Amino acid sequence: QVQLVESGGGLVQVGGSLRLSCAASGSTFSNYAMGWFRQAPGKEREFVAVISWSGGSTYYADSVKGRFTISRDNAKNTAYLQMNSLKPEDTAVYYCAADEETLSNELGSYDYWGQGTQVTVSS
């Protein structure tokens, strides 16, 4: 099993930046592809980005492409989501998740989830 803890959320103005972190423990971090998802009030949880086990491949939702960057440091057991040019529609709870077998944008593929961190973008 792997435990995931997100941090770095907060309140930011439109056009600002935040970097989210996802610290993993309990298992070999490099065994997992890492994804970021988000859930806005009243909406379903949606895919944001995913990074492969070694970090060599990344994929993004169209809504964040060019603004967000996913990365990982396997030596630190941590995944990151750098968010730039933030918009009000980026306001959501952001979750990181770990997938041992696939590089996926599907919620159901992920085995482990963090508790989430709130990101609020004010206009």
Side-chain angles (χ1 to χ4, degrees), residues 36-38 46-50 59-62 64 68 81 94:
W36 285 95
F37 292 78
R38 66 187 182 186
E46 64 176 7
F47 168 76
V48 174
V50 62
Y59 299 96
Y60 297 90
D62 288 343
V64 306
F68 290 11
L81 186 69
Y94 283 72

Side-chain angles (χ1 to χ4, degrees), residues 10-122:
L11 176 64
V12 64
Q13 291 187 335
V14 169
S17 298
L18 282 174
R19 189 177 82 155
L20 306 183
S21 298
C22 174
S25 62
S27 188
T28 304
F29 182 61
S30 58
N31 285 349
Y32 299 89
M34 297 299 299
W36 285 95
F37 292 78
R38 66 187 182 186
Q39 188 167 18
K43 295 188 176 181
E44 294 186 350
R45 195 170 298 188
E46 64 176 7
F47 168 76
V48 174
V50 62
I51 188 166
S52 63
W53 301 260
S54 66
S57 297
T58 58
Y59 299 96
Y60 297 90
D62 288 343
S63 58
V64 306
K65 202 172 294 183
R67 300 188 298 122
F68 290 11
T69 302
I70 189 171
S71 61
R72 66 189 296 160
D73 186 336
N74 285 347
K76 295 183 178 180
N77 294 340
T78 303
Y80 304 96
L81 186 69
Q82 177 67 44
M83 305 186 296
N84 299 328
S85 302
L86 283 161
K87 305 176 181 180
E89 52 264 43
D90 295 318
T91 295
V93 178
Y94 283 72
Y95 300 88
C96 67
D99 184 345
E100 192 168 13
E101 297 184 353
T102 64
L103 191 64
S104 173
N105 63 354
E106 299 288 339
L107 275 73
S109 294
Y110 287 81
D111 306 297
Y112 304 101
W113 292 82
Q115 84 289 349
T117 185
Q118 177 71 47
V119 171
T120 303
V121 184
S122 68

